[in-house]
Amino acid sequence: MQRKPSNIKAKLKLKEVGQKHLSNLASEFFRNYNTQQLEASLESFEKLKEFNTKSAKLGIELDYPKTYDEDYQKSVETYCLKNYNQVVLLVNQKKYPEAMSYIAKVQKYNTSYKNVKQLEIVAYCEPLYQSAINNLESKNYSGALGILSSIDRKTENYKDSRDLLELASAQQTKSFILFEPKNSNDKTENEIQRYLFDNFSETAVQKLSTIKIINNTPFQNAPSTVDLNNNTNVDLIQAIRKATAADYFYVFDVLNKYEYNSGLKKTNSKGFEEIQRRINDSTVVTEYNAFYYYLVKAQRSFSYDFKYKLINAYTNQIVSSKTQNMKSADDIEYQEFTKKFTGNINKLYPYNPQQTVGTLQYSPRTWRNLFSARTTLKSAEELKNDVYNQNINLFLNTANTMK
């Protein structure tokens, strides 16, 4: 019937056998219902309804005593009440995992049955809450944060879990000082450093939820910041840490800024245009006439070396250190006609088909596409912004290692 709904034989046979099957399920439900086998009666009636619905979708109307619908609803009510009472008992006994299994049975049939939603919240949250308290007492703030976050996703107002969540988050928050680099001899490098310093600070506030940047401190322009973790600077590090309560220091520098613009480089090239010329009423000659065009190439790039260190203020150890070349480049390659072309581009070839052996011929599609390729390079400003975004993402990834 599913493969071919118009199959009369299948329809008749399904009507005959399906009715017998439905009647058997109905008898099974009636037997289980009268013997108070709640789960078995619900299961048999649900099988009955499922089969009846599936048959109806195929155009087969089957029949069963409609009074069974009322009996089923009575079974559902009895089943929910029985399991609800068990839930109340187990919650009062603080047997929360066991209670959850009975809550699931009630909610299968009625998610809003009495106060089962509130009981579910208690059964789910209370074990987590107690575990979070234990973690906080043992100063395991990371463990407590994860547990309290699970409670918060379930409900925002379970006891004082929201306050405890804020406490655990605050204990997890690490603070750091972002040091501004020393001025370079290159004016552009100084501009880059200033831009990065400002945007690192802004990005840290916007995107680092458990990491806090310490601003407005006189130590942000401390001398020898690039070599801050040098052994000779141990006293300086400890002095800054005690004065600011910083957990980490982040120092960076910009070196070897490089910009390149090749300008347009044009190469004279020759192609061939297919021309069909009629000699008389019965003869058409195909010729390939040479034409000239330019192959144009250009490239632009912007780059610099970014050097940074993330230093643990308590141990003077380098957590992360790298010198990375930050680069963005763009190049174009296109073809342009030496004079205006108004013909059919699909009649152009990079070789003369009449004079080029078959093994050397190739599809000219890619070559033809170069006549409509992009002709404008990304601007210097676009390349700079691309590099800056790369650099900011590198900073964020590094900052997230502060634990």
Side-chain angles (χ1 to χ4, degrees), residues 269 291 293-296 333-337 350 366-375:
S269 302
F291 71 94
Y293 65 95
Y294 296 118
L295 174 62
V296 186
E333 179 178 345
Y334 63 93
Q335 291 166 176
E336 65 178 21
F337 296 101
T366 302
W367 174 83
R368 289 170 181 162
N369 287 341
L370 287 176
F371 284 103
S372 56
R374 180 167 61 98
T375 60

Side-chain angles (χ1 to χ4, degrees), residues 206-223:
Q206 293 176 348
K207 297 188 177 182
L208 300 176
S209 58
T210 60
I211 299 170
K212 181 178 69 174
I213 186 169
I214 300 174
N215 287 316
N216 302 320
T217 166
F219 301 109
Q220 284 177 306
N221 299 102

Side-chain angles (χ1 to χ4, degrees), residues 305-330:
D305 291 332
F306 180 74
K307 179 181 180 181
Y308 77 89
K309 289 180 184 178
L310 177 63
I311 303 165
N312 187 311
Y314 289 87
T315 64
N316 194 33
Q317 298 298 310
I318 296 176
V319 178
S320 180
S321 176
K322 184 184 288 187
T323 298
Q324 182 165 325
N325 183 251
M326 313 302 299
K327 181 178 181 179
S328 182
D330 187 34

